[in-house]
Amino acid sequence: MFKKPFQTKTRASLRSSNCRHLIQECKELFPSVWEQVEQAKNNCSEGDSASVDSPMPDKLQAAKFTSHIGDRGEIFCSEAGDPLWLKAEVAAGSAPMLVPTVYTLWQFPTLLPVLWTTSSVIPKLIGGADLMVPGLLIPREGLPDLKKGALVAICCPGNAAAQAVGVLNLDTQGLHSVAGAKGKAVLVTHTYQDHLWQLGSKQPLPAIEFAGATDLVHMGDSPEDNSASSDNENDWSVVGEKPSDDKPPAPAAPGPATDETPSSHLDSVAADITPDEMDELLMNSLRQIMATVLDNAHAADLLPINVSTLYSNYMALNAPRGRELDIKKSSHKKLAKFLKAAEKHGLIKLKDIRGELFVKSFNWTHKDMAEFTPYVVGATKKEKQADGEAGGSAAAPGQPGSELDMIRVIELLKPPSALAPLFSDVGAQTDTGYFSRQQARAVLEDYIKGRQLVDAKNPRMVKLDHRLCDGLLTKEEYSKLSTYPRDKLQARLQEKMTLYTQVVLPGGPTPVKIGNPPCAEI
């Protein structure tokens, strides 16, 4: 929220009644710290009790602010000018929250529950990033049991001084036991060294070791020992990594050989692949789609195509059997860099359209395509092609000739009444009335092509007719838009359709049910 300069109005002293109201609100939110303050005052003599600091002073200055992204709130500063608290909407859709700054947390380290991360992550948080689940460090006894929306402080091992404050984006219960967990853990609101910190005295990061910290984590030898080094390995683990034992793993029990690659083997293959091998895998997937699904006869209506759409909807689904694409494990690290390398090789041509990268054309006459032999595309461990198999003629799992003999979840889509005329005009129908995502995309492409709705000036834009407007646009958009990007129209179609799921077990499929199936933690 404060990674860039923000606007503030003139600070003014807060009225006594408003200060009392804030103190009461603070006591209700953080009762344990106030109990400690009261005990400290009781233990002092009558003359010394006034010298005991409190989390919310009875004399404050207030100023309203507007962040660089338009967030509004109020900052409460001490008489010396240090920002101590802020009140703002720190999470989308939430009510304004009273949030302590690092200046307050350095005075009262136990004010908020603490989550831990490595020192290498802190610069990213200061730069405006949120704390991701793989960046969490887990104490030996596990994470504190917190609910989504709770305020937390972020610290590094060896120093209990908060370096960031944010709001939890998920429940922490059981998170440390989920291998491979991903996503945002904390939505960061304020950090040490951001522009809110610079508004005050710019106090450097103190070295704090509060009572009970050594029971929680193995503290470093010095305040600068903020990383999860080898000294901390016995007390820390990283979320997403499976805990390892001292004993070597037991050898796998012998079993009959199978044609399919087991899921565990897929994990090891993905982990052991070298950057050069991933580069070749990416290039082969690009050649594969050029030779099959996006050949000269079928790609004309899709070009230019957004590079993200190309990767997620085509390349990722056309990796060789038992292999999975991961652009981050290649030498390119980013999709744009890989595609620019493919352009330099002569396979494709790229074009920048209003800041977004698109593939303008494919070179099907390239010598690589003459030498390339399409391979068999198989389902990966994530079952990326499960939606294309809905309504297909393949044998059911558990039956002779089935491709996979495991539990699968198939997503099915059903058009609502507003979209029924569009599907009817194309003549799209299935025996069950459900469509896979791939079938739904094909229906919209057939409708656009059949009615010649592609914009002649910009082929990635689609001219909107009454069917598309009625089924996919809101009332506000109906009278304002005449064209719409094709890829966003596809996304809007699948958002409007009702999601159903079917669990396919080795013994046969279960009934189709509306919505997503419940998650199972194994």
Side-chain angles (χ1 to χ4, degrees), residues 126-145:
I126 295 174
D130 293 318
L131 180 60
M132 309 301 287
V133 173
L136 289 173
L137 292 176
I138 308 299
R140 182 181 298 174
E141 61 272 23
L143 290 168
D145 187 7

Side-chain angles (χ1 to χ4, degrees), residues 123-173:
K124 297 180 175 62
L125 303 185
I126 295 174
D130 293 318
L131 180 60
M132 309 301 287
V133 173
L136 289 173
L137 292 176
I138 308 299
R140 182 181 298 174
E141 61 272 23
L143 290 168
D145 187 7
L146 302 172
K147 299 296 183 182
K148 180 178 179 180
L151 285 172
V152 293
I154 300 172
C155 303
C156 291
N159 192 356
Q163 300 199 45
V165 187
V167 179
L168 266 178
N169 195 44
L170 41 71
D171 296 343
T172 59
Q173 185 176 15

Side-chain angles (χ1 to χ4, degrees), residues 465-466 469-470 473-482:
D465 65 358
H466 68 287
C469 290
D470 291 342
L473 299 187
T474 62
K475 291 181 179 179
E476 292 77 12
E477 295 171 330
Y478 201 106
S479 58
K480 296 179 181 179
L481 300 177
S482 59

Side-chain angles (χ1 to χ4, degrees), residues 40-86:
K41 288 183 177 180
N42 294 335
N43 293 335
C44 294
S45 60
E46 184 175 348
D48 295 335
S49 61
S51 63
V52 177
D53 292 329
S54 64
M56 182 73 73
D58 54 5
K59 291 184 179 180
L60 290 170
Q61 293 180 339
K64 294 185 178 181
F65 74 90
T66 303
S67 73
H68 69 284
I69 57 175
D71 292 332
R72 299 176 183 273
E74 196 168 9
I75 300 172
F76 304 103
C77 301
S78 66
E79 291 185 303
D82 286 339
L84 302 180
W85 295 84
L86 66 103

Side-chain angles (χ1 to χ4, degrees), residues 114-116 136-145 157 172 174-177 212-219 228-239 241 243-246:
V114 175
L115 295 183
W116 304 87
L136 289 173
L137 292 176
I138 308 299
R140 182 181 298 174
E141 61 272 23
L143 290 168
D145 187 7
T172 59
L175 180 64
H176 62 281
S177 62
T214 53
D215 296 332
L216 176 65
V217 298
H218 172 72
M219 306 302 293
S229 63
S230 58
D231 295 335
N232 303 45
E233 287 178 356
N234 293 330
D235 295 283
W236 295 96
S237 63
V238 179
V239 173
E241 292 184 359
S244 58
D245 299 327
D246 294 335

Side-chain angles (χ1 to χ4, degrees), residues 324-401:
E324 185 173 359
L325 301 186
D326 190 341
I327 195 70
K328 293 183 180 179
K329 293 180 180 177
S330 70
S331 63
H332 307 285
K333 302 301 182 184
K334 293 185 178 180
L335 179 60
K337 289 185 177 180
F338 161 70
L339 292 173
K340 287 178 181 178
E343 182 182 36
K344 187 175 180 180
H345 188 62
L347 278 174
I348 60 174
K349 285 188 178 181
L350 299 174
K351 183 178 181 181
D352 187 282
I353 301 177
R354 290 186 290 276
E356 292 188 37
L357 196 60
F358 287 80
V359 174
K360 180 181 179 181
S361 63
F362 295 101
N363 184 8
W364 292 283
T365 60
H366 194 279
K367 63 177 183 178
D368 283 9
M369 300 308 299
E371 300 169 358
F372 180 75
T373 303
Y375 48 75
V376 177
V377 177
T380 66
K381 64 177 181 178
K382 291 186 177 180
E383 290 304 302
K384 291 182 178 179
Q385 288 182 302
D387 58 354
E389 296 172 4
S393 58
Q399 300 298 325

